[in-house]
Amino acid sequence: MRHSLHSLLALSGLALVPALALNVANAQTRPSPVVSSQGIAQSQRPIPGAVYEPPAFTRAVAKGTRTRTGAPGAKYWTQHPRYSIDVSLDTSTNTVTGSERVVYVNNSPDTLPRIAVHLYQNVFRPEAQRRDVAPITDGMSLSRVVANGTELSEQSSAAGGGRGRRRAPGGGSYTVDGTIMWMTLPTPLLPHDSATLELNWSYVPALTPSDGREGRDDHLYLMGYWYPQIAVYDDVSGWVPDQYELLAEFYMDHADFDVRVTVPRGWPVGATGSLVNPNDVLSAAGRAKLADARKSGRVVTISAPSDGGAAFVLGTGNVTWHFTAPNVRDFAWGTSNRYVWDATRALVRDPEGAANASPDTVDINSFYRITPRAAAWAVGGARYTRDAIEQLSKYLWKYPWPSMTSMEGVLTSGGMEYPRLTTMQSWADTLSLAGDLMHETGHMWFPMQVGSNENHYPWMDEGFTQFDEAQGLRPLYGEPRKGGRPADQEPGQRTIYLQRVMAGEDASLMTFGDLFPSATYNNIFYDKTAQVLAALRGMLGEPVFHRAFRAYGKDWVGRHPYPYDFFNAMSASTHQDLNWFWNTWFYNAWPLDQAITGVAADSKGFAITIEDRGLAPMPVPLTITRANGKVEQMTVPVTVWLGGARKYVAHVAGGVAVTKVEIDHDGMFPYVSATDRVWTRP
C-alpha cells in the first residue's frame, strides 16, 4: 500500500545465523542520542552481536523445511487452496452476495482438526478491534457453512463475535471471533488428504473513506478481501489467525481461483484473473479493440461511458464475467458504469535469459473516470502500468502472469495492491501517478510472489517495494544532476527517514505491524527499509547485492519466507557474516554519524582521524583528493568499530599534499548529520 503525501515527497527527492524473534515491539520514542554526539563518541559503544532465531524456526530447520543458507529446505511445503466463487452485485442495494466452494488439500505433515478462515469485512462491525477510524457496517453475514457435506452449527464466541444463531447439529461447528472464523471439522483433516468447504455469505461494502484499501463510492465498487479466505498454515507457526485491524496488511497462501462476477450489463469489470468468456460480455467491436491493444502496443480505449455501450453485448439485465487466476494469493475485482477502459500491452523478458529470447506479452488494463481529479489517469494510467511491469521485470525477474490491471477510485489516499490488480486514488498529477503505479505494481513481486507475512513484518514487502520502486523509476525519469548523478527517489526516501530519526521516532523494523505507531508506519517500514537496502548495496557493491537480492526473491516465489530466511540468504550468497548488519539496522534504532576530525602529515604520510559519533557501526568510504587533482579511494572496515573503537586514524602515503577528504562521496549511507564529513585544507 502507498499513501499519497508520502509518495509526493519521496518522488520529488526532497530531501549464517538467523535472527532474534523475541518481543521487539519497543519502538524508540525518546529523543535520538545524536543530539549529544560528542558524548556518544567518547562513550563505550554498543557492539551488535549475533542474531538468534526463535525456537519455532529452529524446529523448522531441524525438520528440513528451512535451512540456514536461506533457501527452502528439501522438505518444505505450503498449502494451496482451490476456490470456486460465484458473486453478484446488486447496485440498487449495494449488496454483494456470494457462494464459494474451496478444496483445501493438507500438504502439511500435521493432522488439522479445525481450519481458520478470514472474514475481513467484520473489521467494520461495531465491536471489532481497529487501529483506524472506519465506517460501521454489519460485516459479513454467513448463511451457510458446510465442511465435507456436513452443515456446521454456529457456536457463540467467547469474545462475542458470533451471531448466536444455531444450525442443525451435524458433527462439526464454527465460531466467529472478530475477523476470524474457526471451523471445527466433522472429522480431522489428515496429512495429504483434502477437505471441501462451502460457504454462502453477503455484505454491504463500506462507503469511502473506509480503510484506504477497498469499498464503494459514486457508482464505483472495488472489492478487496470480499470473500471468506482460508488463513495460512505454515511450517514455522502453524495456523496464523491474526485479527485484521486496518493497519498492517495480509498473510495469504497462493491459491487457484475460478470466479464468476455478476453485475449490470454494460458495467466493465476489472479483476485479478483472465477473462475466459469475452464472447458473453463483449461485442465483436470490443473484442477487436482488445486484440488491437495486445498486437500493436498502443493504448486503445476499449469502452467509455460516452460510447453508448458499443463494447458490450447488447441486452438488459445482468451479465456474468468469468475469470480464472491460478497461483495467486488473493483475488480482487472492481466495476463502475462510469469507467473508461484503456488497454495496451507490456513485453517482458527474463533478465537472466538469452538476449535473443522472444518476449512474453502481458495484457495491461486501466480503468478510470473522467473527472478533473483523475486527469492523470487519462494521460498515463495504462502507460505507467505497462512501464512498471517492464522496468521491474528487468530489475527483478520476469512478471509471471498474463495480465495486470490498474483501477482508479474508492481510495482517498495512495494505492493498494492485489495480485494482478491495483487500485488507487484519483491522481491529477502525472508524476505522482507514475510513482504510485510503480510502487503498487512492484508489489506483484513482494509479496504477491514472495509471500511474506505483511502483518508481522511489513518491511519484507513495503520496504522492499519502496526500494524497488526507486530502481524502476530511475531509468524512466532520472535526469542528470550537477556532478552527473541521476535524480531518483532515494534522496527523498532518505530525507523522510532521517527526519523521523532526528525527531526521536526511529524504531526497530522487527516490530510487528499492528504494534507499530501508525504515525510513523510508512516512514520506518517503507523508507528506513529502502535506505537500509541501499546502504547494504553500497557496502557490498551493486552487482553482488543485486545478484543476492534477486536470488533470494526467486528462491521464495510461491513460498513464505521469514526474516531469518532473508538474512541467511543474503549472508550465504555474499559469503559474508552480516549478523552485525542485521542486528544494527533491523533490530535496533541506531543513528549513523561519522566525522573527520583532522588531517595532518606524520611519519607515515598523512593521518586522517575519523570519529564514530553515532551508534550504528558501518564501513567508512573515504575519497582523498591531492593538490595535483589526483583522487584516491579507501575504505576503513567496519571491524574497526566492531572492536569497540570510537576513533580511528587512517593513513595514506605522503608526497603530494592532501587538500580534501570526504566520507561517503557517493551518498551510499544514511548519516544523521551533514557536518564534519568533509575536510578541506585551510
Side-chain angles (χ1 to χ4, degrees):
M1 187 176 179
R2 182 65 172 273
H3 292 297
S4 58
L5 177 59
H6 175 268
S7 169
L8 278 166
L9 291 174
L11 192 57
S12 68
L14 293 177
L16 274 263
V17 183
L20 179 67
L22 302 177
N23 184 0
V24 289
N26 54 326
Q28 176 177 315
T29 56
R30 57 184 175 80
S32 170
V34 297
V35 297
S36 55
S37 59
Q38 292 297 332
I40 289 179
Q42 296 169 13
S43 68
Q44 184 176 2
R45 68 162 310 115
I47 306 300
V51 219
Y52 300 96
E53 67 194 17
F57 192 89
T58 302
R59 290 193 292 270
V61 172
K63 291 177 181 178
T65 60
R66 307 269 163 165
T67 70
R68 292 202 176 94
T69 62
K75 296 182 179 180
Y76 183 81
W77 53 266
T78 58
Q79 311 288 53
H80 193 101
R82 299 194 301 273
Y83 292 86
S84 177
I85 307 177
D86 289 273
V87 60
S88 62
L89 171 65
D90 184 339
T91 58
S92 65
T93 62
N94 298 312
T95 302
V96 176
T97 303
S99 63
E100 69 183 75
R101 182 176 187 272
V102 191
V103 177
Y104 186 72
V105 179
N106 181 15
N107 294 321
S108 83
D110 307 321
T111 296
L112 306 178
R114 58 181 188 161
I115 291 176
V117 179
H118 291 288
L119 306 178
Y120 290 118
Q121 287 296 319
N122 281 358
V123 75
F124 300 113
R125 287 180 56 81
E127 73 276 10
Q129 57 191 57
R130 287 182 288 271
R131 289 291 308 276
D132 201 357
V133 176
I136 300 301
T137 74
D138 291 333
M140 182 169 281
S141 176
L142 297 168
S143 58
R144 182 169 178 264
V145 179
V146 173
N148 292 332
T150 298
E151 185 167 4
L152 306 187
S153 61
E154 183 179 11
Q155 305 295 322
S156 56
S157 166
R163 300 288 198 278
R165 181 181 171 199
R166 303 286 298 182
R167 311 240 182 254
S173 63
Y174 71 92
T175 299
V176 177
D177 178 10
T179 63
I180 295 293
M181 174 173 67
W182 283 103
M183 299 176 66
T184 300
L185 302 175
T187 57
L189 177 58
L190 299 176
H192 311 297
D193 200 353
S194 65
T196 300
L197 312 178
E198 300 171 62
L199 302 101
N200 291 5
W201 43 266
S202 63
Y203 74 96
V204 174
L207 270 169
T208 297
S210 55
D211 67 336
R213 294 186 173 101
E214 53 87 50
R216 62 185 170 94
D217 59 23
D218 188 20
H219 294 264
L220 189 152
Y221 301 81
L222 197 291
M223 300 296 99
Y225 44 89
W226 52 279
Y227 61 97
Q229 182 188 63
I230 299 179
V232 171
Y233 186 87
D234 71 25
D235 63 306
V236 175
S237 302
W239 286 113
V240 188
D242 293 323
Q243 295 285 338
Y244 178 47
E245 299 181 8
L246 295 180
L247 182 61
E249 293 176 0
F250 310 105
Y251 188 30
M252 300 169 169
D253 275 321
H254 283 76
D256 299 331
F257 289 87
D258 188 331
V259 180
R260 289 156 295 279
V261 179
T262 300
V263 297
R265 191 176 300 271
W267 286 53
V269 176
T272 286
S274 299
L275 181 64
V276 296
N277 67 333
N279 291 350
D280 295 338
V281 295
L282 298 176
S283 66
R287 299 195 302 273
K289 289 181 177 181
L290 278 174
D292 179 31
R294 180 178 176 87
K295 180 179 180 180
S296 70
R298 297 185 298 108
V299 175
V300 177
T301 296
I302 309 303
S303 69
S306 60
D307 64 16
F312 305 111
V313 172
L314 297 177
T316 59
N318 294 333
V319 65
T320 298
W321 297 61
H322 185 188
F323 298 91
T324 58
N327 202 31
V328 294
R329 57 178 240 159
D330 196 8
F331 190 102
W333 59 277
T335 187
S336 173
N337 63 347
R338 300 187 182 183
Y339 264 150
V340 175
W341 175 8
D342 286 349
T344 184
R345 71 169 187 211
L347 299 178
V348 298
R349 294 178 172 86
D350 182 353
E352 298 178 300
N356 60 351
S358 298
D360 284 345
T361 300
V362 177
D363 294 326
I364 304 296
N365 297 291
S366 180
F367 296 84
Y368 59 91
R369 292 166 293 182
I370 299 295
T371 68
R373 293 180 61 242
W377 282 84
V379 175
R383 180 161 61 93
Y384 300 152
T385 307
R386 175 192 63 202
D387 290 347
I389 290 292
E390 292 182 345
Q391 291 301 320
L392 292 170
S393 291
K394 293 175 184 177
Y395 182 71
L396 295 168
W397 57 90
K398 186 171 68 174
Y399 182 82
W401 295 300
S403 68
M404 178 64 199
T405 296
S406 57
M407 307 189 80
E408 172 268 332
V410 175
L411 275 64
T412 56
S413 175
M416 177 60 194
E417 69 278 2
Y418 297 94
R420 298 172 60 176
L421 181 147
T422 181
T423 183
M424 65 184 56
Q425 70 177 89
S426 308
W427 275 117
D429 177 85
T430 54
L431 189 58
S432 295
L433 177 61
D436 268 5
L437 281 172
M438 186 67 72
H439 182 94
E440 302 307 339
T441 304
H443 279 301
M444 300 308 111
W445 283 262
F446 300 96
M448 300 308 166
Q449 295 181 62
V450 184
S452 59
N453 186 334
E454 301 177 72
N455 186 298
H456 290 187
Y457 311 109
W459 61 268
M460 295 187 74
D461 73 293
E462 294 295 0
F464 286 1
T465 299
Q466 189 78 336
F467 175 82
D468 294 337
E469 177 186 350
Q471 317 317 308
L473 289 170
R474 186 179 295 116
L476 297 172
Y477 305 109
E479 298 178 357
R481 289 179 173 175
K482 185 177 181 181
R485 300 181 197 173
D488 59 44
Q489 280 198 328
E490 287 187 12
Q493 293 168 354
R494 179 169 302 177
T495 296
I496 293 169
Y497 161 55
L498 291 177
Q499 285 172 345
R500 291 300 188 182
V501 174
M502 298 304 293
E505 297 172 338
D506 197 1
S508 166
L509 288 170
M510 294 297 286
T511 307
F512 281 9
D514 279 326
L515 300 178
F516 204 84
S518 57
T520 56
Y521 189 97
N522 278 34
N523 308 134
I524 303 303
F525 285 133
Y526 291 55
D527 294 305
K528 178 177 181 177
T529 307
Q531 283 299 296
V532 169
L533 292 181
L536 184 61
R537 178 191 61 197
M539 188 177 72
L540 298 174
E542 200 283 334
V544 172
F545 167 83
H546 194 180
R547 182 169 59 250
F549 187 57
R550 180 184 281 168
Y552 155 75
K554 293 177 74 173
D555 274 350
W556 287 95
V557 167
R559 301 181 171 102
H560 297 308
Y562 276 63
Y564 330 109
D565 297 305
F566 173 68
F567 298 156
N568 288 339
M570 296 299 288
S571 294
S573 184
T574 59
H575 306 289
Q576 295 191 38
D577 180 358
L578 295 172
N579 277 305
W580 65 270
F581 187 89
W582 314 130
N583 193 310
T584 296
W585 290 106
F586 288 84
Y587 285 88
N588 290 289
W590 287 349
L592 174 62
D593 190 6
Q594 298 167 342
I596 301 167
T597 58
V599 178
D602 66 7
S603 60
K604 298 180 181 180
F606 291 96
I608 304 170
T609 302
I610 303 160
E611 197 172 80
D612 189 8
R613 296 177 174 175
L615 295 175
M618 286 292 284
V620 188
L622 295 175
T623 301
I624 301 106
T625 303
R626 304 277 187 167
N628 61 3
K630 182 181 178 181
V631 177
E632 304 166 13
Q633 307 284 344
M634 70 175 296
T635 299
V636 176
V638 70
T639 51
V640 168
W641 315 124
L642 296 181
R646 275 297 185 185
K647 189 175 291 187
Y648 181 77
V649 179
H651 285 89
V652 295
V656 179
V658 172
T659 59
K660 183 179 181 181
V661 181
E662 183 176 1
I663 294 176
D664 193 16
H665 171 79
D666 294 327
M668 299 183 294
F669 302 151
Y671 296 94
V672 295
S673 175
T675 62
D676 298 331
R677 285 193 290 113
V678 179
W679 175 91
T680 55
R681 187 172 65 180

